[in-house]
Amino acid sequence: MSDITLHLGQTLWFSGDPTIAGPNVAHHDSHGGIVIRDGYVLARGTAHDLRREYPQALVEDHGQALILPGFIDAHVHYPQTAMIASWGKRLIDWLNTYTFPEEMQFGDAGYATEIAGRYLDLALSHGTTTMCSYCTIHPQSVDAYFMAADARGMRVLGGKTCMDRNAPDGLLDTAQLAYEDSKALLNRWHGKGRASYVITPRFSPTSTPEQLSALGALWAEHPDCLMQTHLSEQTDEIAWVRGLFPEARDYLDTYETHGLLGANGLYGHAIHLEPRERDRLREVGAALVHCPTSNTFIGSGLFDMAGLVAEGQRVGLATDTGGGSSFSMLRTMAAAYEVAQLRGVALHPSALLWLATEGSARSLQIADRVGTLAPGSEADFITLDLRSTPAIAQRSTRAADIWEAVFPTIMMGDDRAVSGAWVMGEKRA
Ligand code: GUN
Ligand code: ZN
């Protein structure tokens, strides 16, 4: 007979999208639990009911800790782990000064393996169990990432970052090579275990129209794959795109005309969008990825969360490490709250938690497997200590409800708040 484990604690789950429907679609049990069998969620309910229904289960009681789905980071650059928090530059200078020299080192498979392992261990200790990462131009950086994730049993997504202009020589491929390398890596990794391959043109300034077309053709051959890129992050970048693609109607058009716009497309940042771009993104059902710590750190701008959600856009949440200044999705939620405040909107804690879990899972088209802890889904979950530091503990003592209890951890928490992280039911951090 297979082992059954009952994890008890506070639980919180959503029967709808609180960014649209508000906090009433959230369900909180102060004495709740989840039952895990063979790496999957078998049941969710009150501690009382689950103890009665599964008397044979091994019980792990997490006390007052909050059991949540593992966080899902919808846009990250694992190769930028070692250069996070690099000082003083805006996007294009930041790429040339810090990012490209660091990414050059991933031609060395040993270095790629070291950083992939370091990154995934940091992610797990911060409660992130799934992420969608850019790798580098080097196929070995993709192999290192998927192998490191496989060793930890993690569901991860990612792909080779393609560039054939406006980057140093050691970081360039060609249209043909981008297509061939990406295709070979896709065939090697997509659907292998818990890996998903993501077609990854870095952004229009570093790809020729020929390369964008080649990757558009690859996507057309594999429409079930996701495609990720950057869109309208900084105004200087947008002006550069306009110069490089004089015929394009706008930045999004540089992707659209090359077959790189679709419902399985992930567009990172998406801050300075034109009305036509917003219309097209919504029409096709693309996902926009909000990267708030990056957008403040690199000085990019204020993502219009409320306006974009209200018009029906799909939105995920992400660290964008190492443009983002943290590995923590708690810190990322705090930054999303602060950015929304600067636009006159107070995001409810239910919306922030949903974005970091089910919302990001939906943007990655994997919410049927992770991000919800619904029965049948994969048992990737965390426990959050809502009193992890003296400052947080003294504030949450006053809490009148779960939202007041969790909001200090969202705003002030970090990896110290993550008391455990489980992947397919196995404790990994
Ligand atoms: N635009 C193109 N590449 C990058 C990158 O690595 N990070 C960020 N933040 N923006 C980009
Ligand atoms: Zn990015």
Side-chain angles (χ1 to χ4, degrees):
M1 208 180 78
S2 52
D3 288 341
I4 296 184
T5 307
L6 169 56
H7 290 268
L8 299 177
Q10 301 199 66
T11 53
L12 192 56
W13 60 277
F14 300 96
S15 53
D17 172 354
T19 67
I20 296 168
N24 287 341
V25 296
H27 307 273
H28 170 238
D29 261 317
S30 51
H31 297 284
I34 52 173
V35 178
I36 309 300
R37 186 179 64 194
D38 297 335
Y40 290 83
V41 180
L42 184 61
R44 174 172 62 189
T46 65
H48 179 265
D49 289 350
L50 295 174
R51 276 187 190 277
R52 206 189 50 224
E53 285 163 37
Y54 299 94
Q56 79 281 30
L58 185 76
V59 176
E60 288 194 33
D61 192 341
H62 305 290
Q64 286 301 297
L66 179 62
I67 300 172
L68 286 179
F71 295 134
I72 298 181
D73 187 344
H75 177 132
V76 58
H77 299 255
Y78 96 77
Q80 297 171 15
T81 295
M83 49 137 299
I84 190 170
S86 292
W87 184 82
K89 304 287 181 191
R90 292 174 62 81
L91 179 60
I92 308 305
D93 282 349
W94 175 84
L95 285 170
N96 287 319
T97 308
Y98 299 120
T99 313
F100 291 157
E102 178 65 20
E103 292 193 6
M104 298 263 244
Q105 299 192 57
F106 286 72
D108 173 352
Y111 187 68
T113 298
E114 180 193 333
I115 299 296
R118 185 191 303 177
Y119 165 72
L120 290 173
D121 289 340
L122 282 166
L124 283 171
S125 69
H126 286 81
T128 299
T129 49
T130 285
M131 70 287 300
C132 185
S133 185
Y134 289 66
C135 300
T136 67
I137 199 90
H138 314 95
Q140 52 271 45
S141 75
V142 181
D143 292 334
Y145 171 66
F146 283 128
M147 284 192 286
D150 183 57
R152 291 159 180 77
M154 296 169 70
R155 176 166 292 290
V156 301
L157 307 89
K160 167 188 146 104
T161 299
C162 300
M163 299 195 276
D164 68 345
R165 64 170 164 175
N166 294 320
D169 276 350
L171 279 185
L172 295 176
D173 54 13
T174 62
Q176 185 65 23
L177 248 186
Y179 175 89
E180 286 169 6
D181 280 353
S182 301
K183 189 179 176 115
L185 289 162
L186 190 159
N187 286 330
R188 187 175 316 151
W189 290 109
H190 192 56
K192 180 159 181 223
R194 301 185 83 200
S196 297
Y197 191 80
V198 182
I199 296 165
T200 308
R202 181 175 216 121
F203 68 156
S204 290
T206 49
S207 287
T208 58
E210 293 70 34
Q211 182 169 82
L212 296 174
S213 284
L215 293 172
L218 182 62
W219 198 18
E221 291 166 33
H222 299 276
D224 65 308
C225 276
L226 300 184
M227 187 287 305
Q228 63 181 345
T229 191
H230 296 84
L231 176 67
S232 295
E233 180 176 359
Q234 288 207 342
T235 49
D236 290 358
E237 169 207 12
I238 296 166
W240 192 19
V241 170
R242 202 172 293 126
L244 289 169
F245 296 85
E247 304 83 36
R249 288 171 288 182
D250 45 43
Y251 195 156
L252 185 67
D253 200 31
T254 65
Y255 297 129
E256 190 170 357
T257 54
H258 297 102
L260 293 171
L261 177 63
N264 280 343
L266 292 159
Y267 301 86
H269 303 277
I271 299 170
H272 309 281
L273 298 175
E274 302 289 338
R276 190 202 82 88
E277 296 178 300
R278 292 171 77 129
D279 288 348
R280 285 299 291 142
L281 288 160
R282 187 179 36 75
E283 275 166 24
V284 304
L288 311 183
V289 187
H290 183 23
C291 307
T293 71
S294 171
N295 296 343
T296 52
F297 182 76
I298 312 186
S300 301
L302 306 178
F303 183 81
D304 181 15
M305 173 72 80
L308 290 162
V309 167
E311 72 190 34
Q313 306 279 4
R314 292 167 54 225
V315 177
L317 187 65
T319 62
D320 191 33
T321 300
S325 54
S326 176
F327 295 96
S328 169
M329 289 299 284
L330 289 169
R331 180 74 203 98
T332 303
M333 286 180 246
Y337 179 79
E338 290 165 349
V339 166
Q341 280 283 55
L342 287 167
R343 298 192 68 115
V345 174
L347 292 177
H348 193 268
S350 59
L352 294 165
L353 287 171
W354 185 86
L355 283 165
T357 53
E358 186 170 351
S360 279
R362 284 196 196 179
S363 75
L364 301 176
Q365 313 279 24
I366 52 175
D368 56 334
R369 284 169 278 184
V370 292
T372 70
L373 295 182
S377 61
E378 297 165 353
D380 292 357
F381 64 98
I382 61 171
T383 49
L384 270 192
D385 173 4
L386 301 183
R387 308 169 66 84
S388 62
T389 69
I392 295 172
Q394 62 86 38
R395 176 62 185 89
S396 53
T397 302
R398 285 197 176 178
D401 61 20
I402 182 63
W403 305 123
E404 284 192 25
V406 78
F407 192 56
T409 290
I410 291 176
M411 293 309 300
M412 299 193 283
D414 53 30
D415 50 336
R416 289 169 291 179
V418 179
S419 46
W422 287 257
V423 173
M424 293 296 282
E426 276 194 39
K427 194 150 192 280
R428 294 282 179 179

